[in-house]
């Protein structure tokens, strides 16, 4: 248990305080930090919900969820932590509730965490504004999805900016809080050896895969109105893409990193009529086998309407129009009910310009794999000579760095880091307004064409690596997805 840093005094108000995100992620993360000793004495947490609950009822809910979701739980620690918690009922449309809501005005950072559906962001932020709950030290935290297209994203952003300035708004993309995602920065900007070859001069193509083995579970209602493109590509995969493709920022501070990410987003080549069919694949899962059990097709999941025509898998081939990346295809792929839960980036280098070995010695092109999940680490494939007294055969062998061999990984949830950064006022891992809007603009270029053109909805068996059309997208160019079998 290292990393203890005393935090400035904060009062955290969690709207959606009895909900799933609060109970599964936020409160366990806060509990851990409390145990580590980082809370100041005056810091407090208020769970806010629409139900009339007694203090005791609320504490029971939180206690139950900590017992389930925190491996640090003990009755003794809970007793101490529970002193930090209170409950407040606020029905958004009830003015009396708002009048009674007086965020404490001691010298604390007031943080309003909206762990609620985005459709409520606008009304809550405007109530906070009109009931004068906001001061210059206040912060607001919002979760994805910020909109469902450029227009709705702008509307949410505009409504947040009525009461909060941009440096008070924290838009969460939980992938940015992942240790292995941040390691991309360490790898790229802490090691000179990669920089010279990190461009179209040496790189043939890049693959980014975020595959999930689970289906939509109990989120059919939400997911069916969203789909994989908006649920995963618009945020998590695009953020990873930005970290891989951006120019070196001046420093790791919030604005430098976000300025560089924005340049990548602005350089994304929009899809058009000429390439939407060849460079995009959408599909949904059919029945199959997961964990040796038969699982149902997406259209048979609860909350799913076949007429919505929602994709659970997307593969894209895209280009970044700038000097560094001109001509280098980036292949992005994400889906539910795939073979394994895997998130990784594969950088395939070009072939050597001239083979000095015998004509039948196969020289493999180098491959760098950055693993985000599971087994966070880095794997670089190199050609080596196969030991023998005659001949000169090359073999591809790995230089494999497993972070687990050096650190105890996986104790800190990404929400813990993100909450700490909100409290400390560090916005580097949060998505800025212009980034969100630029990424929606690009996503809109895909959805518009998907809706207007005859782009097929393919199928893939649950438990597979996706539809054959996704394989074909690469094989047409003599490339293939590097799958973890
Ligand atoms: C969320 C998506 O943002 O990310 C989910 O809404 C998805 O559909 C989840 O399952 C994946 O996150 P992780 O951290 O489990 O890879």
């Amino acid at each position: 248990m290292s990393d203890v840093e005393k935090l400035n005094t904060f009062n955290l108000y969690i709207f959606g305080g009895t909900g799933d995100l609060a109970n599964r992620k936020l409160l366990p993360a806060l509990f851990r930090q409390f145990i580590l000793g980082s809370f100041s004495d005056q810091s407090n947490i208020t769970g806010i919900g629409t139900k009339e609950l007694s203090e005791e009822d609320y504490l029971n809910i939180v206690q139950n969820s900590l017992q389930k979701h925190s491996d640090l739980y003990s009755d003794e620690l809970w007793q101490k932590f529970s002193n930090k918690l209170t409950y407040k009922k606020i029905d958004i449309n009830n003015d009396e509730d708002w009048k009674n809501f007086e965020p404490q005005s001691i010298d604390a950072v007031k943080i309003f965490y909206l762990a609620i559906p985005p459709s409520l962001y606008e009304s809550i932020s405007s109530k906070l504004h009109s009931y004068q709950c906001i001061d210059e030290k206040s912060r607001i935290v919002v979760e994805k999805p910020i909109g469902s297209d450029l227009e709705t994203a702008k509307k949410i952003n505009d409504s947040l900016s009525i009461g909060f300035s941009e440096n008070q708004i924290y838009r969460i993309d939980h992938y940015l809080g992942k240790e292995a995602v941040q390691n991309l920065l360490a790898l790229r900007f802490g090691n000179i050896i990669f920089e010279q070859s990190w461009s179209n001069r040496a790189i043939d193509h890049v693959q980014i895969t975020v595959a999930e083995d689970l289906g939509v579970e109990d989120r059919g209602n939400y997911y069916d109105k969203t789909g994989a493109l908006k649920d995963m590509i618009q945020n998590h995969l695009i953020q990873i893409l930005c970290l891989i493709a951006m120019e070196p920022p001046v420093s790791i501070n919030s604005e430098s990193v976000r300025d560089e990410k924005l340049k990548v987003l602005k350089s994304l080549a929009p899809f058009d009529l000429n390439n939407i069919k060849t460079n995009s694949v959408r599909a949904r899962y059919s029945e199959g086998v997961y964990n040796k059990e038969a699982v149902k097709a997406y259209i048979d999941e609860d909350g799913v309407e076949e007429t919505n025509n929602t994709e659970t898998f997307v593969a894209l081939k895209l280009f970044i129009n700038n000097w560094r990346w001109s001509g280098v295809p980036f292949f992005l792929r994400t889906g539910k009910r795939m073979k394994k839960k895997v998130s990784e980036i594969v950088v395939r280098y070009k072939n050597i310009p001239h083979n000095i070995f015998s004509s039948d010695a196969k020289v493999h092109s180098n491959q760098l794999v950055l693993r985000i999940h599971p087994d966070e680490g880095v794997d670089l494939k190199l050609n080596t000579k196969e030991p023998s007294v005659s001949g000169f055969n090359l073999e591809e062998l790995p230089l494999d760095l497993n972070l687990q061999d050096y650190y105890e990984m996986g104790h800190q949830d990404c929400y813990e880091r993100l909450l700490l950064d909100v409290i400390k006022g560090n916005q580097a891992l949060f998505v800025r307004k212009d980034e969100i809007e630029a990424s929606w603009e690009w996503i809109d270029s895909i959805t518009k064409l998907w809706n207007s053109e005859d782009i097929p909805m393919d199928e893939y068996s649950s438990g597979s690596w996706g539809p054959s059309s996704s394989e074909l997208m690469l094989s047409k160019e003599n490339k293939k997805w590097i799958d973890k079998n």
Side-chain angles (χ1 to χ4, degrees), residues 344-386:
E344 64 183 23
I345 299 137
V346 176
V347 179
R348 286 294 294 197
Y349 286 86
K350 292 184 172 169
N351 287 326
I352 46 157
H354 168 67
N355 183 356
I356 64 163
F357 308 103
S358 77
S359 53
D360 29 82
K362 167 115 178 86
V363 188
H364 301 268
S365 53
N366 295 129
Q367 175 178 299
L368 175 70
V369 179
L370 311 169
R371 290 189 303 266
I372 296 172
H373 180 93
D375 314 329
E376 293 94 328
V378 180
D379 177 13
L380 178 62
K381 294 256 179 344
L382 297 174
N383 288 298
T384 54
K385 182 183 171 297
E386 201 180 276

Side-chain angles (χ1 to χ4, degrees), residues 465-480:
W465 282 113
S468 53
S469 44
S470 146
E471 307 297 327
L472 193 65
M473 187 162 85
L474 276 77
S475 62
K476 279 191 294 202
E477 304 184 16
N478 282 332
K479 307 184 197 310
K480 64 180 176 60

Side-chain angles (χ1 to χ4, degrees), residues 144 174-175 178 212 219 222-223 231-232 236 336 341:
K144 68 168 264 273
H174 78 274
Y175 265 59
K178 290 185 188 249
E212 296 184 84
R219 293 167 75 225
Y222 156 78
Y223 193 86
D231 186 50
M232 296 294 288
H236 308 324
K336 296 220 179 265
K341 181 159 173 67

